[in-house]
Amino acid sequence: MKAAFVALGLGFLSTAAVAANGIDVKRGGDANIYGNCVPSLVVENKSGETIGYLQVDVVLALNDGRERTVELASAYRDGAPFPIAPGATATLKQHLDLSRALGVPCGEVKERKVSRTICETARGTACASSVSVKP
């Protein structure tokens, strides 16, 4: 019985350690470009692995009731790599040459939520570290 409690406690500790040393993504600065809101996110890689590609899809609820999904990525998916080393920070951006502009200024955005996260290591495998996103 004691062994089960010890194993359960170690499981909680290892989960807490991964969360504390994971990948934190927080809201970055918004920019109005040609009348369109272009949001960004800031990544802090607290893990021990190099991130090869990170994408967060954010659903933006607009004041008029419409919703738009914006893909914010660390680099172009098929372009030159932009790895995020352990301990480094980077900005996730919307690539306007590949995606549709939001169509409204930043003042028209009332809510944000995450719909999908893609994280790959520099080796092309899924990230083992947890990704925490606060859009």
Side-chain angles (χ1 to χ4, degrees):
M1 186 69 163
K2 286 183 182 180
F5 285 122
V6 170
L8 184 61
L10 290 175
F12 283 129
L13 288 176
S14 65
T15 302
V18 168
N21 295 320
I23 301 163
D24 289 338
V25 182
K26 297 179 181 165
R27 185 174 172 179
D30 295 340
N32 278 304
I33 300 176
Y34 299 115
N36 292 290
C37 186
V38 180
S40 68
L41 295 171
V42 176
V43 179
E44 185 177 2
N45 185 1
K46 296 179 182 177
S47 75
E49 60 189 337
T50 299
I51 301 168
Y53 179 78
L54 181 60
Q55 176 181 320
V56 177
D57 295 353
V58 179
V59 178
L60 303 172
L62 308 178
N63 286 337
D64 64 6
R66 294 179 296 158
E67 288 187 341
R68 296 271 194 262
T69 301
V70 178
E71 295 175 353
L72 304 174
S74 61
Y76 287 95
R77 184 69 182 216
D78 296 319
F82 188 73
I84 306 168
T89 60
T91 302
L92 301 184
K93 305 173 195 172
Q94 179 184 11
H95 298 287
L96 292 172
D97 54 341
L98 297 178
S99 63
R100 183 175 161 206
L102 192 56
V104 297
C106 295
E108 295 294 314
V109 177
K110 70 176 186 177
E111 187 179 332
R112 301 157 191 254
K113 61 184 173 186
V114 176
S115 65
R116 178 175 72 155
T117 302
I118 300 169
C119 185
E120 295 176 357
T121 66
R123 296 181 311 277
T125 59
C127 295
S129 300
S130 62
V131 179
S132 168
V133 183
K134 295 178 183 167

